Amino acid sequence: MDNRPIGVFDSGLGGLTAVRALARLMPEEELVYFGDTGRVPYGGRSRETIIRYARQDVAFLSSFQPKAIVVACGTVSTTALEVLRGEWAVPLFGVVEPAARAAARLTRSGKVGLIGTQATIRSGAYERALAVLRPGAQVVARACPLLVPLVENGRYRPGDPVAEAVVAEYLAPIREQEVDTLMLGCTHYPLLKPLIARHMGPQVTLVDVGEQCAQWVAGQLTGRGLRSDREGVGRHRYFVSDDTGDFAALASAFLGEDVGAQVEEIDITAYGS
Ligand code: DGL
């Protein structure tokens, strides 16, 4: 039993897809979220910069003495997770392995699509994980750099003309390859799920990395005896590295409750190296 909080971070809003699932699966747990809204997006940056940002993110969350940290960011999970694990004793959970496990289980044909940020696609991390779990699987991968800015600006709903056009162009070559499963390899993308589902068609199963990661973390914490025995609902706090207003409005809309009073701004550059 362990009543310390769970830390969760992303470059911005995307990690809320994991928070929503974590809150549903483990309502008694206390969650501390950090969204690096002052520096989003991470996906087009160099490996060195992503590692530097991620070190600061982990250092900030570590100040809450968490029992675990969820790296709810595909870009950091694919690019910096092994480095971070070598530097911190706190258990760090990323999104790649749970998503690859789900894709390996769900695909019938072995032909799997993958969309993610430039850094994620460049890393080849999802392909490596899937090759172990489902030898011979073929991955059709595409970087989608415009999707994170669309989501951060609240332009993710079906019918939004810009989002529709961008998603149609990115997904066309993946649809042509007739994949039966599509990994949404960035935690921002599940916000676009209804729109992506419509473009891929009902024959394609979508893997939501935030949801899969949350299920994995719940199982891991239970297995390691680290669940809270708190009665009632755990507190949720949100921290960002830029103005709180836009984040609070979009987060409240996505989570379905007003979280405005729980959002604070911090100076992330004051943490870590
Ligand atoms: N949610 C992050 C991810 O999963 C977005 C990265 C970015 O900021 O570009 O990759």
Side-chain angles (χ1 to χ4, degrees):
M1 187 272 291
D2 191 329
N3 282 330
R4 290 177 296 163
I6 302 170
V8 185
F9 76 92
D10 178 44
S11 58
L13 281 169
L16 295 178
T17 56
V19 165
R20 190 163 73 172
L22 288 167
R24 191 191 72 239
L25 294 164
M26 301 183 288
E28 71 288 353
E29 296 291 346
E30 192 180 316
L31 302 178
V32 181
Y33 185 81
F34 175 62
D36 197 0
T37 52
R39 305 190 293 199
V40 66
Y42 283 8
R45 301 185 192 276
S46 68
R47 182 168 181 273
E48 291 68 32
T49 300
I50 293 166
I51 290 172
R52 182 159 53 85
Y53 287 178
R55 279 184 172 133
Q56 292 179 324
D57 302 343
V58 173
F60 169 65
L61 288 175
S62 292
S63 67
F64 294 88
Q65 265 79 53
K67 60 185 167 189
I69 293 181
V70 181
V71 181
C73 174
T75 302
V76 175
S77 297
T78 55
T79 306
L81 189 56
E82 290 317 312
V83 174
L84 297 171
R85 281 185 174 146
E87 296 173 348
W88 294 88
V90 62
L92 289 158
F93 297 108
V95 299
V96 174
E97 181 161 359
R101 280 178 188 271
R105 198 174 60 240
L106 291 166
T107 183
R108 296 168 304 277
S109 66
K111 226 167 169 192
V112 176
L114 167 67
I115 53 175
T117 66
Q118 300 101 302
T120 288
I121 301 304
R122 186 172 69 215
S123 76
Y126 283 103
E127 289 90 330
R128 282 196 297 280
L130 196 59
V132 173
L133 297 160
R134 172 83 189 236
Q138 191 188 333
V139 179
V140 182
R142 178 126 207 232
C144 304
L146 295 178
L147 296 188
V148 168
L150 277 175
V151 171
E152 286 291 324
N153 286 285
R155 305 287 299 266
Y156 55 81
R157 293 184 181 83
D160 182 293
V162 181
E164 293 276 359
V166 172
V167 166
E169 187 184 310
Y170 281 145
L171 295 184
I174 299 180
R175 226 180 31 211
E176 274 166 27
Q177 295 289 317
E178 298 186 339
V179 301
D180 70 356
T181 306
L182 176 64
M183 285 193 272
L184 310 181
C186 164
T187 51
H188 279 73
Y189 300 174
L191 280 95
L192 289 153
K193 207 159 151 190
L195 210 150
I196 291 172
R198 213 155 51 71
H199 283 268
M200 291 308 291
Q203 72 286 0
V204 177
T205 308
L206 304 183
V207 175
D208 174 334
V209 288
E211 170 71 37
Q212 293 301 328
C213 177
Q215 290 182 18
W216 175 259
V217 170
Q220 289 289 316
L221 293 182
T222 305
R224 298 180 193 199
L226 291 176
R227 292 286 295 272
S228 163
D229 66 351
R230 184 175 292 110
E231 284 178 19
V233 176
R235 179 178 177 200
H236 295 177
R237 278 178 286 177
Y238 303 86
F239 296 87
V240 291
S241 53
D242 204 341
D243 189 54
T244 57
D246 285 351
F247 178 89
L250 288 166
S252 299
F254 176 70
L255 295 169
E257 58 175 309
D258 185 1
V259 298
Q262 281 83 256
V263 185
E264 284 174 50
E265 183 179 341
I266 56 131
D267 175 10
I268 190 64
T269 62
Y271 294 86
S273 51

